[in-house]
Amino acid sequence: MAGLRERKKEQTRRRISAAAWRLFAERGFEAVTVNEIAEAAEVAKATLFAYFPTKESLALQGVGDDDLAGIVAGRAPGRSALDALRAHYRAFAAGPMTGVDPEVLVSRVRVIFDSPALGGAANALLYQQRQRLAEVLAEEHGERTAALMAAQVSAALVTLQETFFRQLAGGAPLAAARGQLAEDVELTFDLLAHGLEHLPGPATTRRPGRAKGHGGHGDHGDHGDHRDRTDRTDHTDHADHADRTNHADQRGQ
């Protein structure tokens, strides 16, 4: 009996979710009311709230669900937090996405991106995810360091996922978007592990007019500046010498 009851509850939950997403895709999140969702799902409004406490929770299923804190807390001894998280996202990018309808996924992504209300609600969920990660990291690194670590990791992972979903929303094929995701996972964790200083490119930024190149014109400019300063100094010294000589002549008279 317990198994049958759970299956019926899951069926009701899926029916409510499917009805909500159908309406969201047709008219946008803000234009749909909870009453309309309940009517389309053929359930009472109270029943809908028993499964989904807010309209936002209907649209944000899965957002912030990655258990970053659990991944870090449950990692093998001797393994760093970043290595554990990298392995998780590497597996996600490479693993099979069974049961995923690309059209449905793209439709849901567009609904979320088009709604300011959902954007704010998603940020709140991601903040909670970040706080849980910070709590786990604090056991090893202290609260202040853990808070900064969690902020950097969370921001990078949010950008990683958002880039993937925006590619889908823009019409990229799922396979192509996943291939790019796999590359971005490695770049993301390389940056987290080694920092911006290790990016390929110029080690320093030179001031305009002083950059080397084109036969060392920047260096020639430096020499020119030196000659100008020398000429000005010599001129000033000669003028001072002439003034002192004139004053001496006048005193002698």
Side-chain angles (χ1 to χ4, degrees):
M1 288 293 294
L4 177 61
R5 188 161 51 247
E6 290 302 317
R7 284 197 299 272
K8 286 185 176 181
K9 289 174 67 175
E10 182 60 25
Q11 289 172 356
T12 301
R13 181 183 184 86
R14 290 182 180 179
R15 189 167 70 251
I16 295 171
S17 179
W21 275 110
R22 185 172 62 254
L23 293 173
F24 294 155
E26 291 173 357
R27 294 158 49 197
F29 177 78
E30 276 80 7
V32 178
T33 67
V34 172
N35 286 334
E36 289 173 326
I37 297 171
E39 182 178 351
E42 299 181 341
V43 298
K45 186 177 178 180
T47 301
L48 184 151
F49 282 130
Y51 288 89
F52 300 97
T54 64
K55 190 173 76 164
E56 286 78 8
S57 66
L58 265 166
L60 295 176
Q61 299 171 68
V63 174
D65 279 0
D66 280 344
D67 188 8
L68 305 185
I71 293 168
V72 171
R75 70 190 189 277
R79 193 177 205 186
S80 73
L82 281 183
D83 282 347
L85 290 167
R86 185 197 288 260
H88 172 80
Y89 283 93
R90 184 182 281 166
F92 171 75
M97 287 189 174
T98 57
V100 176
D101 185 333
E103 290 186 6
V104 172
L105 180 60
V106 168
S107 174
R108 294 187 177 190
V109 167
R110 286 174 176 164
V111 167
I112 294 173
F113 284 155
D114 289 344
S115 170
L118 288 179
N123 286 336
L125 292 173
L126 294 170
Y127 177 77
Q128 295 173 14
Q129 181 190 65
R130 188 181 96 192
Q131 291 298 99
R132 291 192 295 269
L133 176 60
E135 291 171 4
V136 171
L137 292 172
E139 298 175 6
E140 301 176 48
H141 304 284
E143 289 186 5
R144 186 167 66 174
T145 300
L148 293 171
M149 291 172 66
Q152 293 180 59
V153 170
S154 297
L157 293 179
V158 167
T159 303
L160 175 71
Q161 295 175 76
E162 182 177 318
T163 300
F164 170 63
F165 289 123
R166 285 199 181 277
Q167 284 184 310
L168 293 178
L174 180 58
R178 292 191 65 194
Q180 185 62 57
L181 174 63
E183 294 182 14
D184 289 348
V185 166
E186 303 305 326
L187 175 59
T188 296
F189 282 96
D190 283 347
L191 289 173
L192 286 171
H194 305 297
L196 300 180
E197 294 294 333
H198 290 73
L199 280 173
T204 59
T205 302
R206 298 183 177 90
R207 288 178 294 171
R210 298 181 66 86
K212 293 183 179 181
H214 302 291
H217 293 310
D219 290 342
H220 292 165
D222 289 346
H223 292 315
D225 290 344
H226 177 70
R227 285 195 299 270
D228 289 344
R229 288 193 298 270
T230 301
D231 291 343
R232 287 194 298 270
T233 301
D234 292 344
H235 178 75
T236 301
D237 290 344
H238 290 315
D240 289 345
H241 178 71
D243 287 343
R244 286 194 298 271
T245 301
N246 291 335
H247 288 314
D249 291 344
Q250 290 173 2
R251 285 196 301 270
Q253 295 172 357

